[in-house]
Amino acid sequence: MTDSCAKCKSDLQTLRSSNLPEGKPTWPKLRIADLFAGCGGLSIGMQEAAHALRCTLDIKLAVDTDPMALEVYKKTFPDATVYCDMVEKLLNGDMDVPETPEESRLRCRVGQLDILMGGPPCQGHSNLNNHSRRDDPRNALYLRIARAACILKPKVVITENVPTVTLDARGAVHQTIDNLKDLGYTVGKGVVDLRKLGVPQKRRRHVIVAVRDCDIDPQALVNSLATPVCEHIPRSVRWAISDLVDVVPSKPFDKPSQPQRANKDRINWLFDHGEFNLPSQHRPDCHGPNHNYPAVYGRMSWDEPSLTVTTGFNCMGQGRYVHPARRRTITPHEAARLQMIPDYVDLGSVLLRTRLAKLIGNAVPPPLSYALGQQIIPALVDTDSDLK
């Protein structure tokens, strides 16, 4: 980043802000639903895009099974209607059957909807899942997105997941796309490098955008996400967390984990030798000379993006999570910054480290929905009057 880059300065100001964005009562409302909402990554990005375009979110529905995630979500979006429940219980019908009583009640409560968003659990699709890779019952949750579109009839549907989602043995993604097309949606899809959108980590996501009854070319929209948001891309670890190096921790959010003695010795070795990768002889036996995970037990570089932030960021044995300049792993606060979760999201109220790791590691970086919203919202909202 340079001091003259308006985009980098603006994004950093938002990232470090402790104040919730405020709209005006006179601004038009964008009606959205967020399935598998977590702590709100998709909604945060959409809200920031809406505010930039002088409109506000009316969150008709936010669903997750994690009450702690919804507690954080509700603090960010006090007026949102949230459900702590399973999406498959609220939307429990198959695509080829009439609306169920539960779905009818949900439709009546939600009302008209402009955008439906959802990031189904990705663990069943991940390369890191060696137990049920490609054939996990959770993968079928993807199909709930199409059923939600069938019942709630949004104009736009946005779905994101890991790139390997398309390799699912059950064909959930391909079936979801076919179902959306059968419902009259035009569908665009692709894999997005989030570094191009300003996220300071090497993270790629598979994105589906489906539209109906609005003037948007969804494939052109997805393709446009390959264009960097500014010339200072990719952003570095330094850009995101340099101001947090010596924060005095008062809560778990700003405290690093306490490593076991063996890992403490490994961290010290990296710094004592000025290295970023731990040699095989200093690794556990399970990560011996023939390992395929060079980043594990590694140290971050200040001047490069981080690797993907997962729920394992508290442990150096889960990835390259050793701080660039301090003999520790990154804090939850630093992990949240690398995920581009703004400081105004109240993660500091979460006191259990494992819960913080889950909320942060599973979050969708908001710049993804921000970039989509910047192009979608003008087709849905007249910022000088009401919704079209």
Side-chain angles (χ1 to χ4, degrees), residues 323-344:
H323 192 276
R326 294 292 181 266
R327 299 185 183 220
R328 59 174 176 79
T329 52
I330 58 173
T331 66
H333 194 168
E334 289 164 337
R337 285 280 192 85
L338 294 169
Q339 285 276 64
M340 293 289 283
I341 300 173
D343 285 357
Y344 63 71

Side-chain angles (χ1 to χ4, degrees), residues 161-337:
N161 215 292
V162 294
T164 49
V165 67
T166 57
L167 303 178
D168 168 43
R170 302 169 186 236
V173 174
H174 304 293
Q175 187 175 344
T176 297
I177 291 173
D178 288 343
N179 288 340
L180 287 169
K181 289 179 177 178
D182 289 343
L183 292 170
Y185 287 91
T186 303
V187 180
K189 63 183 185 299
V191 174
V192 180
D193 182 348
L194 297 193
R195 290 175 296 181
K196 299 292 182 67
L197 304 182
V199 179
Q201 63 172 299
K202 297 176 182 177
R203 195 180 192 104
R204 299 166 71 244
R205 304 301 285 182
H206 182 270
V207 176
I208 296 172
V209 178
V211 303
R212 185 174 66 182
D213 302 327
C214 61
D215 186 19
I216 299 171
D217 181 339
Q219 192 58 59
L221 173 55
V222 174
N223 293 345
S224 74
L225 301 181
T227 302
V229 296
C230 71
E231 62 181 301
H232 305 293
I233 299 299
R235 289 170 175 159
S236 67
V237 169
R238 186 190 306 276
W239 177 85
I241 68 171
S242 61
D243 63 312
L244 301 178
V245 171
D246 294 317
V247 168
V248 177
S250 60
K251 296 179 180 180
F253 187 51
D254 280 303
K255 290 182 180 179
S257 62
Q258 294 299 313
Q260 296 180 347
R261 182 70 217 184
N263 279 346
K264 187 174 182 179
D265 290 342
R266 293 177 179 118
I267 291 173
N268 285 333
W269 190 97
L270 290 171
F271 281 89
D272 290 344
H273 293 80
E275 295 290 344
F276 290 84
N277 296 312
L278 193 69
S280 295
Q281 64 267 30
H282 293 288
R283 294 167 175 259
D285 292 340
C286 60
H287 287 278
N290 296 320
H291 68 82
N292 294 317
Y293 305 100
V296 173
Y297 295 101
R299 175 181 160 202
M300 291 181 174
S301 170
W302 268 133
D303 298 318
E304 297 178 7
S306 75
L307 297 187
T308 299
V309 174
T310 70
T311 58
F313 65 78
N314 283 311
C315 178
M316 73 177 303
Q318 297 292 313
R320 190 181 297 280
Y321 297 130
V322 177
H323 192 276
R326 294 292 181 266
R327 299 185 183 220
R328 59 174 176 79
T329 52
I330 58 173
T331 66
H333 194 168
E334 289 164 337
R337 285 280 192 85

Side-chain angles (χ1 to χ4, degrees), residues 67-142:
M68 182 63 72
L70 288 178
E71 183 177 327
V72 173
Y73 188 103
K74 190 69 173 176
K75 288 179 180 179
T76 308
F77 303 100
D79 298 326
T81 301
V82 302
Y83 286 78
C84 188
D85 210 338
M86 294 186 292
V87 169
E88 62 270 34
K89 285 182 62 178
L90 296 174
L91 295 153
N92 59 352
D94 294 329
M95 289 301 296
D96 56 352
V97 303
E99 181 178 274
T100 68
E102 293 82 3
E103 292 171 333
S104 179
R105 286 193 292 270
L106 184 68
R107 176 178 53 77
C108 291
R109 290 170 183 166
V110 171
Q112 289 185 306
L113 201 60
D114 298 298
I115 300 176
L116 169 72
M117 307 185 295
C122 66
Q123 290 84 359
H125 305 293
S126 173
N127 281 334
L128 300 176
N129 180 359
N130 291 319
H131 299 289
S132 56
R133 184 185 297 176
R134 312 291 183 243
D135 191 13
D136 189 306
R138 291 172 294 183
N139 297 353
L141 291 174
Y142 225 90

